[in-house]
Amino acid sequence: MTRVVDVVRAVIAPLTRTRVFRRVIGPALLPPIERLLARVTSGRVQLSALLVPSLVLHTVGAKSGIVRDVPLMYTPDGHGRAIVAGTNFAGEKHPAWTTNLLANPDADITVRGRRMPVHATPIPEAERDATWATIERQWPGYRNYERESGRTVRLFRLQPVRPRD
């Protein structure tokens, strides 16, 4: 199975670096497909998880206070935590979920159908290059989204915490 995933990644990865993917396929087509798949499988299957480790981040809206769900690629940091990057398909604006985490760092994630509480911490400037290197070992070229966006992408470490009462 790992060999199949490696081959699929080798084919798909270059496509994710194209302007068509960043402007149309990624932001317009993937989210509704992910939502439909999540609904049909009760959150156990994600399209993106076929290629990379993926989770659903459940944040509280910074302004609305409404719980928002967003499927994201994550990178395990080797210490039981997840790293997520607010690339927004190289868009010029930060994705809303990053603003939500800055305002409300206590969130939940669902990984393979299992929901757990986490605390989000922004990656400090001094750790950014090392963190990007970790992310790019999983998905080469991913930092190009930051370069092409013209902004500093927000990186977060999601630390599992004890369930809230």
Side-chain angles (χ1 to χ4, degrees):
M1 182 66 169
T2 302
R3 180 92 172 121
V4 171
V5 170
D6 290 343
V7 170
V8 172
R9 279 186 188 173
V11 171
I12 299 292
L15 298 175
T16 66
R17 294 190 274 276
T18 66
R19 185 174 305 265
V20 170
F21 182 88
R22 290 190 322 264
R23 299 292 182 245
V24 178
I25 297 170
L29 296 179
L30 287 183
I33 292 169
E34 289 280 18
R35 283 192 295 273
L36 176 64
L37 194 56
R39 197 172 308 121
V40 169
T41 66
S42 300
R44 288 185 306 276
V45 177
Q46 284 180 259
L47 181 63
S48 54
L50 300 174
L51 298 173
V52 292
S54 297
L55 57 80
V56 176
L57 176 66
H58 311 280
T59 62
V60 174
K63 291 181 183 177
S64 70
I66 297 170
V67 174
R68 305 289 184 181
D69 301 337
V70 61
L72 299 171
M73 175 184 104
Y74 77 93
T75 302
D77 75 350
H79 301 285
R81 300 171 296 203
I83 299 167
V84 291
T87 58
N88 204 19
F89 298 102
E92 61 186 39
K93 294 181 180 179
H94 294 289
W97 64 263
T98 66
T99 302
N100 294 347
L101 285 182
L102 291 172
N104 303 300
D106 292 318
D108 286 348
I109 59 173
T110 299
V111 180
R112 291 183 296 280
R114 183 172 164 246
R115 190 168 176 143
M116 68 187 86
V118 295
H119 183 79
T121 306
I123 303 288
E125 183 63 35
E127 297 176 30
R128 287 181 59 77
D129 286 338
T131 301
W132 273 117
T134 300
I135 293 169
E136 286 196 305
R137 279 193 291 281
Q138 175 178 290
W139 195 258
Y142 196 55
R143 192 171 191 178
N144 288 336
Y145 277 23
E146 178 176 62
R147 293 179 185 111
E148 294 169 14
S149 72
R151 62 183 170 81
T152 301
V153 164
R154 294 173 177 163
L155 301 174
F156 292 89
R157 187 173 288 116
L158 305 178
Q159 172 72 51
V161 295
R162 293 185 191 270
R164 295 177 279 282
D165 294 328

